Amino acid sequence: MLNVALPKGRLGEKVYAMFEAAGYECPSIKENNRKLIFENEEKQVRYFWVKPSDVAIYVERGAADIGVAGKDILLEYAPDVYELLDLDLGKCRMAVAAPCDFHDDGQKTLKVATKFTNIAANYYASLGREIDIIKLNGSIEIAPILKLSDVIVDIVETGTTLKENNLEVKSTIVPISARLISNKSSFKFKGTDIEKIVESIKNQVKNND
Amino acid sequence: MINSNILRNDEKAIFALRELYEKYGYKPFKMSKFEEYEFYIQNKDFLVSDRIIAFNDTSGKLLALKPDVTLSIIKNGEDVEGFKQKVCYNENVYRVSENTHQFKEIMQTGVECIGDISLYDIYEMVVMAAESLALISDDFVLEVSHLGLISSLLDNICKNANFKAEAIKFISDKNSHDLARICDENNVAELDKIALQNFVSIYGERNAVLQKLEDENVNIGKDNINILRTLSNMLDNLSFSGKIKFDFSAVSDMNYYNGIVFKGYINGLSQSVLSGGQYDNLLYKMGRKSGAIGFAIYLDLLEDLPREKQNFDIDVLLLCDGKTDNQLLIDTVNQIVACGKTVSVQNADVGKIRYKELNDIRGGV
């Protein structure tokens, strides 16, 4: 039985469609109910919906053999998993944004507000820039407006929210998209099934290009 | 004799593994629980985490609870021409858990061979690693990689040190898409980029891997491939030869490790339980001339191996009270134990113990 952790929400539904097209369908998942685990005995596959940021934990700990997680989560928590495929879905970027008139002259410690403290710390360490990280859990955009921080490090999709708050992208740290991940041990013992899925989804991604 | 049914998986493994290592001439090495804190600080890059439990001893000297065993063994050895120090150990180490971020006591068993390391020594170590896994479960995989080969491949593609560090991470993650991205960012030639991406997908059965490396004409150095081929041939006759595979995603810190490295997995456990390889670079950094190879098994992970489900805590729950005659109680216990049953003497059945039989001699004289 192959256990698959899917992220709840629209991204998860798109990803399930890819698994279905790969021949690992599970019709009960489309029933309108509040169940979280769905199984197709014949296809030897079990899907479960989990919070998107938890997928990597389920996979790393082996509760799921494979799953789909955003690159932002993989960079932030650095789970010990294989990252087998870029699904080219949920594309956005991790960026540094600041008020349009902000200029970093490098003369003082830079105050950085973010949900992604590890990504921010690693990025500025690579630049040798001293920073003060302010961990926030939401509404990151208001931090520079209220002078809580100089800049923010956050996911930018279209840039509309930034624009509406008079912020702009100052630099891109890394492109983000959904990735197919596998538990390392599961890959050793269920590798044939996992490779079959990866190959099929890889072709679907290519055809969508 | 110990009844093996009462032992936990990790306890069973300790005895079986020690017997295995002694067969190959590896002698138990007993070390102190503490080392000087300064010693670990000097070698902190070798440690899994730089967070160490430190304390002052009675003379004020700063000591640390061992976070690692290998460093202590190397420190206590000496280079003697023609001699290989072969030791095994079974020790607790104290590290910060990656999951809970709290200190954790980890029972670790392992072996080290320090001296002039030959190909036979590498073979012996790989065989002992595979046999160790086989003692724990039939369903295992030992994956073998070669750091010299990966290093030579990357050095031939791009000299940038940051590129190399990132590329090694992506190779260990089997992440060919981000490998392609950093190749583009570092202006790596298209053919080299494709070769590197293909390299990530080369793993599995040993001869098939060697054939693919040849077919792809990957630039990995003739010596490295010859070592892998010879080692693979030497392993061919083992009964579990098919479970020893080549997989270059098994990488370790190149500041200390070099040459052959390996990781062992057991079906049903979510992470590798065995990790090891050649670490000549560590000895060099500590001013020694010898080479070294070894591995460790993380016994705490064996807790997650399936165990036979116990429906009962005890065979007989024997109830007595202040009025029960002591001789009657002793005789009853002795009778039960003599039948090979387990017994727990209690004053009442309060639902805390699951038992097969209840024997109530309360008030009995």
Side-chain angles (χ1 to χ4, degrees), chain B residues 164-336:
Chain B
K164 190 172 175 180
E166 276 195 284
I168 289 168
K169 164 85 175 96
F170 294 141
I171 288 171
S172 79
D173 290 347
K174 293 192 186 292
N175 178 346
S176 62
H177 41 277
D178 281 325
L179 257 183
R181 176 176 59 79
I182 60 162
C183 282
D184 291 339
E185 286 169 6
N186 286 275
N187 302 318
V188 169
E190 194 62 21
L191 277 178
D192 286 338
K193 180 175 97 176
I194 294 167
L196 199 51
Q197 283 187 281
N198 289 342
F199 178 73
V200 174
S201 62
I202 299 176
Y203 53 83
E205 196 270 319
R206 298 195 307 274
N207 286 328
V209 166
L210 292 167
Q211 189 59 50
K212 276 186 196 163
L213 287 175
E214 234 164 60
D215 293 348
E216 297 275 345
N217 204 14
V218 185
N219 197 354
I220 47 176
K222 256 191 175 163
D223 288 351
N224 296 326
I225 196 98
N226 283 341
I227 288 173
L228 282 185
R229 183 170 289 117
T230 314
L231 179 64
S232 179
N233 291 339
M234 291 164 84
L235 296 167
D236 271 346
N237 293 327
L238 299 170
S239 59
F240 43 72
S241 177
K243 294 178 182 180
I244 307 174
K245 300 177 190 285
F246 285 151
D247 191 325
F248 303 111
S249 69
V251 295
S252 305
D253 186 345
M254 289 200 189
N255 285 320
Y256 295 95
Y257 287 93
N258 58 295
I260 297 289
V261 292
F262 41 87
K263 278 190 197 301
Y265 293 86
I266 283 172
N267 199 359
L269 297 182
S270 64
Q271 50 186 305
S272 67
V273 290
L274 182 150
S275 175
Q278 287 178 267
Y279 53 93
D280 302 350
N281 292 347
L282 173 64
L283 271 88
Y284 178 75
K285 283 185 187 224
M286 291 179 80
R288 292 191 55 181
K289 293 175 193 149
S290 298
I293 185 166
F295 65 81
I297 297 178
Y298 305 102
L299 294 172
D300 57 316
L301 298 176
L302 305 188
E303 266 185 4
D304 292 339
L305 275 176
R307 281 187 79 188
E308 210 177 301
K309 200 182 166 198
Q310 307 277 342
N311 292 322
F312 302 99
D313 302 312
I314 205 81
D315 292 322
V316 182
L317 177 65
L318 180 59
L319 299 182
C320 65
D321 60 13
K323 291 178 188 159
T324 308
D325 178 66
N326 280 334
Q327 195 54 50
L328 173 67
L329 181 57
I330 293 166
D331 290 344
T332 313
V333 168
N334 287 345
Q335 272 172 23
I336 295 168

Side-chain angles (χ1 to χ4, degrees), chain A residues 118-136:
Chain A
N118 290 331
I119 295 176
N122 290 338
Y123 173 67
Y124 283 105
S126 75
L127 301 178
R129 182 78 172 91
E130 193 182 326
I131 60 166
D132 176 15
I133 291 190
I134 301 155
K135 162 92 177 163
L136 295 177

Side-chain angles (χ1 to χ4, degrees), chain A residues 96-159:
Chain A
V96 178
C100 301
D101 58 357
F102 175 77
H103 170 70
D104 179 17
D105 59 11
Q107 291 193 20
K108 67 176 193 73
T109 303
L110 190 70
K111 287 187 191 142
V112 183
T114 186
K115 241 196 297 194
F116 302 97
T117 52
N118 290 331
I119 295 176
N122 290 338
Y123 173 67
Y124 283 105
S126 75
L127 301 178
R129 182 78 172 91
E130 193 182 326
I131 60 166
D132 176 15
I133 291 190
I134 301 155
K135 162 92 177 163
L136 295 177
N137 295 306
S139 304
I140 317 289
E141 294 83 2
I142 65 168
I145 301 168
L146 301 176
K147 307 286 181 212
L148 178 64
S149 73
D150 300 313
V151 299
I152 64 170
V153 166
D154 205 8
I155 289 172
V156 179
E157 212 171 327
T158 58

